[in-house]
Amino acid sequence: MNETEVPSMIRIHLSIRILLSVLPCLLFLSVNSIMLFALLKKPLFLESPRYLLFGNLLLSDSLQVLLTTLLYVFALTRVKMITLSCVIVTQLTTITVRMSPLSLALMSLERYVAICFPLKHATIATTKATRVAIAVMWTLACLDSFIQPFLFFKLSNRDLNVQLICERKSIYQLHVYVVLNQVFTIINFMLVTLVIIYTYVGIMVAVRFSSSCAYRAKTAPKTVLLHALQLCLYLISTLFNMINSSELFNLDPAVALQVRPAIFLVLIIFPRFLSPLIYSLRDQTLRQTFKYYFTFGNKSVGPYKS
């Protein structure tokens, strides 16, 4: 083979890998965009705490996929960014990663209040209280994303205008950053896990001893279990950076480059597909509304009221 053909073959293979990785991301983002548009267009969804929380989960997951995909493509193509821009993008990505489990915890609590305290649900889970809770969640998700850049600017003597390949390990090289990231990740998932377990047990007890057999009381435990499944997948996705490292399994760099797209799709993209499937297929109101918009306003799919 001619030596000049080797770089061209490498570029073709790289382009194919990028295309196979980006297309599912674009599909996911387009589906979520339509769902978010549908939620914003219908007043019922803007006034219901459950749908507000679902919309917030869609937003955080979409931002995470968008930012993660950009960083992933930049890493594959060896595109360089100035250090300051890389710090901002990586920290925004970290915020969205922290946000998704917190959203699941709050959604489980909303179901817990609806089933265990049905008479107080309307006064506890108000639209205003839900928006305040969402703001608090974003604040908590931003906590370590404020601490790490603060330490970076204090401890690092690096020029912020230096160009580099934007990867977290290339910016936060000190051990203190690794420890902080692990501590916040463990605390985040432990708290969310405890909330989901508590709400599931509480709902199961309430359903078992309740004299009524309402439909939502029967489906609520399944919803919380699905939240637990999502949480497990989110936890697995946080291991992407370790699994993505070729040194972890002592893989040849060429082999690691081949398996990286599959790992990226399975651990990052697939868990984010679950939220639309869980809620759009199981919730009748969402199902009819999404059918209406996904079929470009075809009213034959079912009743739709704006």
Side-chain angles (χ1 to χ4, degrees):
M1 183 180 291
N2 193 334
E3 292 183 0
T4 58
E5 295 179 359
V6 176
S8 62
M9 291 296 294
I10 294 176
R11 286 195 294 269
I12 292 174
H13 290 162
L14 181 61
S15 300
I16 293 174
R17 283 194 293 269
I18 293 174
L19 185 63
L20 292 177
S21 301
V22 170
L23 283 179
C25 301
L26 293 178
L27 175 62
F28 170 83
L29 290 173
S30 62
V31 170
N32 271 20
S33 298
I34 295 175
M35 289 187 174
L36 285 171
F37 177 78
L39 292 174
L40 292 173
K41 286 291 290 182
K42 197 166 185 181
L44 169 66
F45 296 144
L46 297 177
E47 298 171 359
S48 172
R50 183 181 184 185
Y51 298 127
L52 280 175
L53 294 173
F54 173 58
N56 179 70
L57 182 64
L58 280 179
L59 177 62
S60 62
D61 280 354
S62 300
L63 290 175
Q64 182 181 348
V65 169
L66 176 62
L67 294 171
T68 306
T69 303
L70 288 176
L71 290 176
Y72 174 74
V73 172
F74 289 162
L76 279 183
T77 56
R78 315 304 288 178
V79 172
K80 293 185 177 181
M81 300 173 59
I82 63 173
T83 303
L84 181 59
S85 299
C86 187
V87 170
I88 294 174
V89 174
T90 53
Q91 291 310 121
L92 288 176
T93 306
T94 302
I95 291 172
T96 59
V97 171
R98 299 279 188 263
M99 188 64 191
S100 295
L102 293 175
S103 298
L104 293 177
L106 196 56
M107 293 170 75
S108 297
L109 283 173
E110 189 276 332
R111 287 293 84 197
Y112 172 77
V113 174
I115 301 304
C116 298
F117 306 99
L119 299 180
K120 297 182 180 179
H121 180 258
T123 57
I124 296 176
T126 62
T127 303
K128 182 179 179 180
T130 303
R131 290 173 178 170
V132 171
I134 290 174
V136 171
M137 281 195 303
W138 280 100
T139 303
L140 292 175
C142 293
L143 187 58
D144 66 326
S145 295
F146 289 144
I147 294 176
Q148 292 192 32
F150 175 78
L151 292 176
F152 174 80
F153 294 130
K154 285 290 184 179
L155 302 178
S156 177
N157 296 321
R158 298 173 61 176
D159 186 357
L160 296 179
N161 293 319
V162 172
Q163 292 189 342
L164 47 76
I165 297 174
C166 189
E167 294 179 338
R168 187 178 182 85
K169 61 182 179 182
S170 64
I171 302 175
Y172 301 108
Q173 298 177 344
L174 297 179
H175 184 63
V176 64
Y177 301 129
V178 178
V179 173
L180 277 176
N181 187 53
Q182 291 176 347
V183 168
F184 277 103
T185 300
I186 293 172
I187 292 175
N188 187 14
F189 278 96
M190 284 186 63
L191 290 177
V192 174
T193 301
L194 290 175
V195 169
I196 290 179
I197 292 175
Y198 175 79
T199 54
Y200 177 76
V201 173
I203 290 173
M204 289 299 296
V205 171
V207 171
R208 185 170 183 177
F209 291 99
S210 176
S211 57
S212 62
C213 296
Y215 174 76
R216 67 175 186 174
K218 292 181 178 180
T219 59
K222 296 180 181 179
T223 302
V224 176
L225 277 181
L226 289 172
H227 290 167
L229 174 61
Q230 286 177 277
L231 179 65
C232 292
L233 292 174
Y234 286 153
L235 178 59
I236 293 173
S237 68
T238 60
L239 304 176
F240 173 69
N241 289 330
M242 290 189 296
I243 297 176
N244 192 39
S245 173
S246 60
E247 293 84 2
L248 182 63
F249 298 116
N250 295 319
L251 294 176
D252 183 82
V255 177
L257 190 62
Q258 295 292 333
V259 301
R260 182 181 295 178
I263 296 175
F264 175 75
L265 291 176
V266 172
L267 297 184
I268 298 297
I269 303 305
F270 175 70
R272 273 72 198 170
F273 268 116
L274 280 183
S275 297
L277 289 176
I278 289 173
Y279 291 94
S280 61
L281 296 179
R282 298 183 72 246
D283 188 288
Q284 184 176 0
T285 305
L286 286 177
R287 185 167 60 248
Q288 294 298 334
T289 303
F290 291 156
K291 279 184 180 180
Y292 176 84
Y293 283 101
F294 278 110
T295 56
F296 305 100
N298 183 7
K299 296 184 179 181
S300 64
V301 299
Y304 171 78
K305 297 181 180 180
S306 60

